[in-house]
Amino acid sequence: MLTATVTVDPAFVVGPVRPRTFGSFVEHLGRCVYTGIHDPGHPTADEDGFRGDVLDLVRELGVTTVRYPGGNFVSGYRWEDGIGPRGERPRRLDLAWHSTEPNLVGVDEFMRWAAKAGVEPMMAVNLGTRGVQEALDLLEYCNVPGGTRWSDERRKNGAEDPYRVKMWCLGNEMDGPWQIGHKTAHEYGRLATETARAMRMVDPGVELVVCGSSSSQMPTFGEWERVVLTEAYEHVDHVSAHAYYWEEDGDLASFLASAVDMDHFVESVAATADAVRAAGKHAKRISISFDEWNVWYQRRAESRPPSGDDWPVAPVLLEDRYNVADAVVVGSLLISLLRHTDRVHAASLAQLVNVIAPIMTEPGGRVWKQTIFHPFALTARHAHGEVLHVAVDAPVQGTAKFGEVPAVDAVATHDPETGDLTLLAVNRSTTDAVGLDVDLRGFPGLRVVEALTLSNPDHTWSATADDDASVAPRPNASATVADGRATAELPPVSWSVVRLARA
Ligand code: AHR
């Protein structure tokens, strides 16, 4: 069997495992909100109309932050439409997704949902059709304790205490010509700076995310970040990055190697931010909020919004069904995000429910897990302490997009308090099992506590509402420790977690 040698050392610390790496995203898009998290007629719905079975799975997924309310949606959104008595809220055209927004869920409902889910809310302001004043009004509504126009309105609506939202996105994908109120880098850089400056006057404690490019494939990628950060550097904390991957024309090998692109993307944005830092003689460093990432088959019919006179409420949109290979890629993208924990300080799996999502619902009916649920949940649960860089010497896998890449990619986390070590690894070979051989000399006395592998002889295997269990990771009986080395067999197209602890 082919072998990949992995060296781990407690001294190779990249940085802390950041809880915010395990964020997600709820957008008013398709059935993410309506019939997703919110379904008042459902047997498990609570007094706010939120599904209890969905909340249970959100907690099981281990999500830490949730970005809201968009996405493209936010660029035409009037947040005031979503507050106050539900019967008085307007219905509006949502131009981003050619849908009707009933405004039954707004900021107060979302904050209540986030508290129930145990997640940190991450809000986005509309810098497409709106500007500084409306962003300030929303911030006042959310974070000012009382005694002003909007804070008193919040109290009237039942929230005595401020929500104290820390993370705020300054618009969404403003470089994209599809964005309502799309701007040039100069226009956006100015607006984001002035919005940030004014928001900090209201609440100096906010953390602000300025929009980077909507993908590394944008013609303006790099230059957009340079221009926007040159303007906004001192006023913001993070720059956003968005990336979606999919298997194109049956090219499984390139698809499995998607993390090579994510690595390059993160390193390019960090390099651009550091160049602006040097040129502007700034002291602080800008970190990355990778606040949209996932597998998304954008060319499938499910991704096309309705058209013409049809403006449905909560249409079926972007409801991708994920297979085993998709889950392996999601697991490998998490490895990339963890590997860059020194620069990626927050990330959001896009999205959470029904829309390119780990959790699926039937309106009024069952809830079920997609394949991608598992690598996310297991990584969020078992990555603790510090991220360790691992040196991997692996056989190569040829790819059309990236040339030869190591068939095995891995990262480790180490909890210095308990001594626990977690290894996360993918085998990107499309054909061969690879033996993992881990040098554990720096960690004497460890034993395998649990080893789980997600794979299937048929990598196109997907979960359904009738059977979402058979794609779940299974115990990997080959994982053992002997003579200071951990070994395990990784099947082709697989993702694994190996947990080690002191004997
Ligand atoms: O997540 C789906 C969409 O992808 C978001 O609305 C947008 O920001 C991105 O282009």
Side-chain angles (χ1 to χ4, degrees):
M1 198 193 329
L2 298 169
T3 303
T5 308
V6 173
T7 307
V8 200
D9 191 290
F12 296 173
V13 178
V14 184
V17 175
R18 298 176 194 278
R20 281 180 179 166
T21 301
F22 305 108
S24 187
F25 178 26
V26 164
E27 177 168 2
H28 284 249
L29 192 185
R31 299 194 309 113
C32 187
V33 173
Y34 306 112
T35 75
I37 63 171
H38 186 260
D39 194 354
H42 192 271
T44 70
D46 63 16
E47 64 289 356
D48 289 318
F50 292 124
R51 282 180 67 154
D53 56 353
V54 173
L55 277 166
D56 286 344
L57 281 197
V58 170
R59 287 186 282 257
E60 186 182 328
L61 187 62
V63 164
T64 52
T65 65
V66 174
R67 182 168 173 250
Y68 176 86
N72 296 340
F73 171 80
V74 78
S75 295
Y77 184 49
R78 285 173 262 207
W79 67 270
E80 307 89 331
D81 289 349
I83 59 171
R86 278 192 172 135
E88 294 169 21
R89 298 185 193 176
R91 288 163 70 88
R92 297 268 192 200
L93 296 180
D94 161 19
L95 304 185
W97 300 107
H98 204 87
S99 306
T100 295
E101 172 53 49
N103 282 308
L104 298 174
V105 171
V107 60
D108 293 309
E109 286 81 18
F110 176 70
M111 293 297 165
R112 285 203 288 280
W113 179 85
K116 288 174 188 177
V119 301
E120 177 190 354
M122 177 179 176
M123 293 294 286
V125 298
N126 174 357
L127 293 188
T129 58
R130 305 187 112 188
V132 182
Q133 185 59 59
E134 295 88 346
L136 291 178
D137 293 346
L138 178 58
L139 178 61
E140 180 187 321
Y141 188 86
C142 288
N143 284 13
V144 170
T148 63
R149 162 76 180 89
W150 288 112
S151 59
D152 285 343
E153 190 75 20
R154 182 199 67 241
R155 293 168 74 183
K156 202 174 91 198
N157 291 333
E160 190 57 30
D161 294 329
Y163 297 126
R164 298 195 176 88
V165 178
K166 264 249 175 277
M167 292 267 280
W168 293 83
C169 302
L170 300 167
N172 176 71
E173 296 190 347
M174 298 309 304
D175 64 323
W178 59 86
Q179 203 67 217
I180 305 161
H182 161 235
K183 294 181 172 46
T184 66
H186 287 281
E187 288 165 350
Y188 173 68
R190 289 293 310 128
L191 179 58
T193 302
E194 292 312 317
T195 307
R197 221 160 53 80
M199 285 178 78
R200 283 202 203 283
M201 291 177 194
V202 174
D203 182 350
V206 291
E207 276 181 53
L208 300 174
V209 185
V210 75
C211 289
S213 300
S214 48
S215 102
S216 61
Q217 306 309 308
M218 294 299 287
T220 49
F221 172 59
E223 182 59 2
W224 172 275
E225 279 77 1
R226 190 191 68 74
V227 172
V228 168
L229 284 174
T230 298
E231 191 67 52
Y233 201 95
E234 278 305 324
H235 303 278
V236 300
D237 304 285
H238 316 274
V239 59
S240 72
H242 292 180
Y244 293 101
Y245 300 96
W246 63 95
E247 184 182 339
E248 217 170 346
D249 305 326
D251 182 3
L252 178 63
S254 297
F255 176 52
L256 291 172
S258 297
V260 171
D261 179 78
M262 185 182 252
D263 286 344
H264 182 62
F265 187 8
V266 168
E267 286 151 24
S268 306
V269 175
T272 307
D274 288 348
V276 176
R277 176 179 183 239
K281 301 185 174 48
H282 301 285
K284 72 175 184 187
R285 242 180 233 283
I286 296 286
S287 58
I288 296 170
S289 171
F290 216 117
D291 45 41
E292 285 189 35
W293 69 272
N294 202 349
V295 171
W296 175 12
Y297 289 83
Q298 304 193 27
R299 297 195 187 141
R300 283 190 191 154
E302 300 86 8
S303 288
R304 254 173 258 131
S307 55
D309 294 338
D310 190 19
W311 294 82
V313 173
V316 172
L317 267 177
L318 284 65
E319 297 203 9
D320 287 17
R321 297 299 156 104
Y322 293 117
N323 64 28
V324 169
D326 299 327
V328 171
V329 169
V330 163
S332 75
L333 296 174
L334 280 163
I335 290 174
S336 171
L337 291 170
L338 284 170
R339 174 164 44 236
H340 292 102
T341 194
D342 52 339
R343 287 315 283 262
V344 178
H345 289 195
S348 306
L349 175 73
Q351 299 192 4
L352 186 59
V353 183
N354 290 330
V355 171
I356 42 174
I359 299 171
M360 300 298 290
T361 66
E362 295 171 336
R366 293 173 292 182
V367 65
W368 53 281
K369 298 173 188 171
Q370 295 234 53
T371 55
I372 63 169
F373 185 98
H374 303 290
F376 189 99
L378 287 165
T379 306
R381 193 175 316 146
H382 297 305
H384 290 301
E386 299 169 336
V387 180
L388 300 182
H389 171 72
V390 303
V392 181
D393 184 10
V396 292
Q397 165 73 51
T399 71
K401 278 193 189 158
F402 310 110
E404 289 191 336
V405 304
V408 169
D409 194 16
V411 74
T413 66
H414 176 231
D415 188 335
E417 308 250 305
T418 59
D420 293 355
L421 184 71
T422 297
L423 262 173
L424 300 156
V426 280
N427 179 2
R428 311 188 276 207
S429 168
T430 55
T431 49
D432 293 303
V434 178
L436 190 68
D437 179 7
V438 188
D439 182 341
L440 288 176
R441 269 172 304 178
F443 304 90
L446 289 187
R447 69 186 164 88
V448 175
V449 177
E450 186 183 38
L452 296 169
T453 293
L454 188 150
S455 72
N456 194 290
D458 177 4
H459 69 264
T460 63
W461 189 266
S462 295
T464 63
D466 293 323
D467 175 17
D468 67 352
S470 58
V471 293
R474 307 230 164 143
N476 184 332
S478 71
T480 51
V481 175
D483 303 327
R485 305 191 83 82
T487 51
E489 189 181 321
L490 307 180
V493 195
S494 67
W495 173 90
S496 300
V497 55
V498 182
R499 293 171 53 220
L500 302 129
R502 289 189 189 126

